[in-house]
């Protein structure tokens, strides 16, 4: 059974801090790993990672994947109160009857105080 | 990318009744997915909606409780039947393109009283 574990489950920081969110996974027929930000209902796509060691970057957010050790990290630098959200990690299964299925981690609740 | 319109956005329902959630995509997609997010929990896949065939349900979810329709390549519905307070959740539809990023509808927040 596919499994995704995120840590920490919650994190409280002050504006300007840098945070690192972790995601480890076990999945048959790995296709990609995705990061989402969820503020209200619908998750908003952040990154898709398919190759090891290649950093994806968008503004203050960056992410990298290690396919050998089966984990990914999401970094947020110079955090702002608007970064407060639940960050979800998910893996895409590309095989057989599970094709296209996303398995999500529990999420990390990030709270940024002014 | 894809734009997904999901409705209703929210609803409050009486126990024992049913609610049908609709999901419309602005392009044709082979597979659509329905997820549930219970309060304080992450997203769990309910089923995969395939056009032209029956939906494929994940362990713990059954067709009688969550019937799904997929009449064409741009539309799907999920019905939550005979609701109980335990069904109070956010329900989300999504589409993905050959293992690339998955896009989500706006979600339906369901409260059963």
């Amino acid at each position: 059974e596919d499994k995704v574990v995120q840590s920490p489950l919650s994190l409280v920081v002050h504006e300007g801090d840098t945070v690192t969110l972790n995601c480890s996974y076990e999945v048959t027929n790995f296709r990609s790993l995705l990061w989402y930000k969820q503020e209200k209902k619908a998750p908003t796509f952040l990154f898709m990672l398919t190759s090891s060691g290649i950093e994806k970057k968008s503004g203050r957010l960056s992410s990298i994947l290690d396919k050998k050790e089966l984990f990914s990290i999401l970094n947020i630098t110079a955090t702002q109160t608007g970064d407060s959200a639940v960050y979800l990690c998910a893996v895409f299964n590309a095989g057989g009857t599970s094709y296209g299925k996303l398995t999500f981690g529990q999420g990390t609740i990030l709270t940024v105080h002014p | 990318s894809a734009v997904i319109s999901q409705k209703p956005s929210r609803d409050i329902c009486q126990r024992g009744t049913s609610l049908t959630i609709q999901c419309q995509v602005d392009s044709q997609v082979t597979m659509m997915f329905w997820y549930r997010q219970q309060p304080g929990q992450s997203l769990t896949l309910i089923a995969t909606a395939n056009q032209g065939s029956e939906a494929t349900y994940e362990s713990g979810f059954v067709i009688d409780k969550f019937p799904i329709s997929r009449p064409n390549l741009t539309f799907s519905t999920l019905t939550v039947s005979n609701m109980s307070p335990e069904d109070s959740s956010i329900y989300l539809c999504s589409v993905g393109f050959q293992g690339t990023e998955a896009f989500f509808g706006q979600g339906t927040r369901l409260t059963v009283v």
Side-chain angles (χ1 to χ4, degrees):
Chain A
E1 185 178 327
D2 297 346
K3 189 175 178 182
V4 178
V5 177
Q6 291 184 244
S7 64
L9 294 181
S10 66
L11 194 53
V12 180
V13 301
H14 287 93
E15 274 192 320
D17 290 348
T18 293
V19 298
T20 298
L21 310 182
N22 304 295
C23 176
S24 63
Y25 63 91
E26 297 174 22
V27 61
T28 56
N29 300 300
F30 174 87
R31 182 67 176 260
S32 57
L33 183 144
L34 298 91
W35 284 98
Y36 289 89
K37 178 182 182 183
Q38 186 179 30
E39 293 177 271
K40 291 183 180 177
K41 291 185 296 182
T44 304
F45 172 78
L46 295 175
F47 297 112
M48 182 185 73
L49 303 160
T50 56
S51 301
S52 281
I54 299 175
E55 185 183 52
K56 292 282 184 87
K57 198 170 172 64
S58 176
R60 296 176 294 101
L61 277 67
S62 63
S63 184
I64 197 162
L65 175 68
D66 185 328
K67 291 170 72 175
K68 182 179 178 183
E69 300 297 329
L70 306 182
F71 79 90
S72 173
I73 60 171
L74 175 68
N75 281 318
I76 307 175
T77 59
T79 52
Q80 303 171 356
T81 55
D83 295 326
S84 296
V86 177
Y87 289 84
L88 296 166
C89 172
V91 291
F92 226 131
N93 190 313
T97 57
S98 296
Y99 179 79
K101 173 183 173 181
L102 274 176
T103 300
F104 283 84
Q106 323 94 301
T108 294
I109 302 172
L110 175 64
T111 303
V112 182
H113 289 309
Chain B
S1 66
V3 176
I4 306 171
S5 300
Q6 184 176 340
K7 58 181 181 181
S9 175
R10 61 175 59 223
D11 208 340
I12 301 173
C13 300
Q14 296 290 323
R15 66 179 67 199
T17 63
S18 297
L19 175 71
T20 295
I21 303 168
Q22 299 180 3
C23 193
Q24 178 77 50
V25 189
D26 68 343
S27 57
Q28 293 185 339
V29 293
T30 305
M31 300 167 82
M32 295 176 70
F33 304 89
W34 288 97
Y35 290 85
R36 179 177 75 179
Q37 187 175 30
Q38 294 177 299
Q41 304 294 313
S42 190
L43 281 73
T44 301
L45 182 65
I46 298 172
T48 303
N50 308 303
Q51 196 272 333
S53 64
E54 281 196 5
T56 304
Y57 289 83
E58 297 297 305
S59 176
F61 298 97
V62 295
I63 188 171
D64 289 347
K65 176 67 176 177
F66 298 101
I68 286 172
S69 77
R70 185 79 200 276
N72 56 54
L73 290 173
T74 63
F75 187 78
S76 179
T77 67
L78 169 76
T79 299
V80 186
S81 303
N82 189 24
M83 288 183 286
S84 66
E86 292 71 35
D87 294 319
S88 298
S89 298
I90 295 172
Y91 292 86
L92 292 146
C93 65
S94 82
V95 301
F97 300 96
Q98 297 183 4
T100 63
E101 61 265 33
F103 300 93
F104 287 86
Q106 303 93 321
T108 298
R109 187 184 299 276
L110 170 62
T111 302
V112 183
V113 297

